[in-house]
């Protein structure tokens, strides 16, 4: 009894606050990850799942993925989609952050309104862009026809190249406010005295930007890019609602292909293997993020 009391002394009270979150993560995050890893080295499908006969095939599912053209397409699509989204949403978000860092009337209200795309649920945004890019009733086709730029409707979501373009536009629209608000926060940490000293020394705007703003924003930029990569790379709901991986698998991502294998084709083990590939890539990026942040704190 005395030992139990010692464990719950005032000095150890913090354990009681951490324990609920730890148990939650253990049950709802840790167990699914471990279970998914085990499932990926077994041969589980709709037939033997019911019978309860699960044979270990070890890395056979991963070997099959290497020869799966749809998996290769999904991996390439995920990388291309992520990089293009990062470039555009970061560039526009950075420009808007610099613009709204200036003091002018209605700057704060307008900046607050621009956060709306990030606050709206992704599923709602996906439905909005699906209607925007619709072939017959789409707003974009209507505007282009009204301006005389096209003669017939463009099939945005049913053509491989334009379907990916539509997905990128939707995600960039969501990601711009995220980039803008984080970079704006980073800009507020830069001392104003540095800009005043540079102005007295005769530095122009370009020199001030490249010699003061960019170097001091480096930790913020690294965090924004890595977090943006993680959020974009694991995209699922946006793609599933707008294109469901089509047409002809041209917009499949690792997440949507894993879902298709598991819940449409009932190849549970192979779907788990795809999910684990996604997990490993994100873990590698997460480790880079932790190293980058700890390095910045040490400096």
């Amino acid at each position: 009894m005395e030992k139990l009391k010692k464990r719950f002394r005032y000095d150890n009270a913090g354990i009681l606050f951490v324990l609920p979150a730890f148990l939650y993560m253990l049950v709802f995050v840790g167990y699914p990850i471990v279970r998914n890893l085990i499932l990926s080295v077994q041969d589980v499908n709709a037939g033997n799942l019911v019978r309860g006969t699960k044979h270990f095939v070890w890395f056979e599912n991963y070997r099959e993925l290497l020869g799966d053209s749809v998996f290769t397409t999904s991996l390439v699509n995920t990388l291309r989609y992520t990089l293009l989204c990062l470039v555009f949403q970061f560039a526009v978000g950075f420009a808007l952050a610099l613009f709204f860092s200036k003091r002018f009337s209605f700057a704060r209200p307008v900046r607050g309104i621009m956060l709306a795309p990030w606050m709206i649920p992704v599923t709602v945004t996906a439905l909005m862009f699906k209607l925007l890019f619709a072939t017959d009733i789409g707003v974009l086709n209507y505007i282009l026809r009204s301006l005389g730029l096209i003669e017939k409707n463009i099939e945005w979501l049913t053509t491989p190249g334009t379907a990916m373009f539509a997905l990128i536009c939707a995600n960039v629209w969501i990601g711009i406010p995220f980039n803008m608000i984080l970079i704006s926060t980073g800009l507020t940490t830069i001392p104003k005295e540095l800009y005043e000293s540079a102005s007295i020394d005769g530095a122009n705007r370009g020199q001030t930007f490249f010699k003061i703003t960019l170097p001091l924003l480096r930790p913020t930029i690294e965090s924004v890019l890595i977090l943006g990569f993680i959020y974009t790379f694991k995209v699922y709901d946006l793609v599933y609602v707008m294109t469901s991986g089509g047409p002809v698998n041209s917009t499949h991502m690792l997440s949507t292909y894993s879902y298709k294998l598991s819940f449409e084709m009932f190849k549970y083990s192979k779907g788990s293997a795809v999910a684990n590939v996604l997990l490993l890539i994100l873990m590698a990026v997460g480790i880079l993020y932790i190293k980058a942040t700890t390095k910045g704190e040490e400096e």
Side-chain angles (χ1 to χ4, degrees), residues 95-120:
L96 289 174
L98 292 175
F99 177 73
F100 285 110
S101 66
K102 308 297 180 183
R103 294 183 178 180
F104 61 91
S105 301
F106 305 109
R108 290 184 178 180
V110 174
R111 184 169 56 185
I113 293 171
M114 292 193 67
L115 289 176
W118 184 53
M119 299 172 67
I120 295 174

Side-chain angles (χ1 to χ4, degrees), residues 71-283:
F71 169 75
T72 305
T73 300
S74 301
L75 180 59
V76 173
N77 284 344
T78 307
L79 290 170
R80 183 176 60 175
Y81 170 83
T82 302
L83 293 176
L84 288 174
C85 286
L86 279 181
V87 168
F88 288 108
Q89 66 191 23
F90 176 78
V92 178
F94 197 108
L96 289 174
L98 292 175
F99 177 73
F100 285 110
S101 66
K102 308 297 180 183
R103 294 183 178 180
F104 61 91
S105 301
F106 305 109
R108 290 184 178 180
V110 174
R111 184 169 56 185
I113 293 171
M114 292 193 67
L115 289 176
W118 184 53
M119 299 172 67
I120 295 174
V122 177
T123 304
V124 177
T125 302
L127 290 172
M128 289 169 51
F129 273 85
K130 190 173 183 178
L131 290 174
L132 179 68
F133 285 99
T135 303
D136 297 322
I137 61 172
V139 177
L140 186 57
N141 276 337
Y142 173 77
I143 294 173
L144 293 176
R145 283 200 320 272
S146 300
L147 296 175
L149 298 176
I150 59 173
E151 295 181 359
K152 63 177 183 178
N153 292 333
I154 299 174
E155 298 181 355
W156 294 100
L157 299 177
T158 55
T159 305
T162 55
M164 181 62 74
F165 171 76
L167 290 175
I168 292 172
C169 288
N171 192 75
V172 168
W173 191 76
I174 296 171
I176 285 173
F178 174 77
N179 284 260
M180 181 188 71
I181 195 67
L182 289 185
I183 295 171
S184 295
T185 304
L187 287 171
T188 59
T189 62
I190 300 177
K192 300 297 180 183
E193 293 79 6
L194 295 178
Y195 293 107
E196 294 173 358
S197 299
S199 178
I200 294 173
D201 291 337
N204 56 37
R205 290 185 178 181
Q207 292 172 328
T208 302
F209 178 76
F210 288 105
K211 299 294 184 180
I212 296 177
T213 305
L214 273 185
L216 294 180
L217 272 182
R218 181 181 172 183
T220 303
I221 292 173
E222 289 176 350
S223 299
V224 168
L225 291 177
I226 295 175
L227 288 174
F229 184 94
I230 293 172
Y231 293 151
T232 307
F233 198 83
K234 64 182 182 65
V235 65
Y236 169 76
D237 38 12
L238 185 71
V239 179
Y240 185 79
V241 172
M242 289 185 65
T243 64
S244 297
V248 200
N249 300 319
S250 61
T251 59
H252 259 313
M253 308 294 171
L254 289 176
S255 56
T256 57
Y257 187 49
S258 175
Y259 177 88
K260 180 180 180 180
L261 287 170
S262 299
F263 302 108
E264 293 181 11
M265 301 174 67
F266 306 109
K267 298 180 180 179
Y268 302 111
S269 294
K270 196 172 178 180
S272 298
V274 176
N276 288 331
V277 172
L278 176 62
L279 174 65
L280 288 174
I281 294 173
L282 291 180
M283 282 183 63

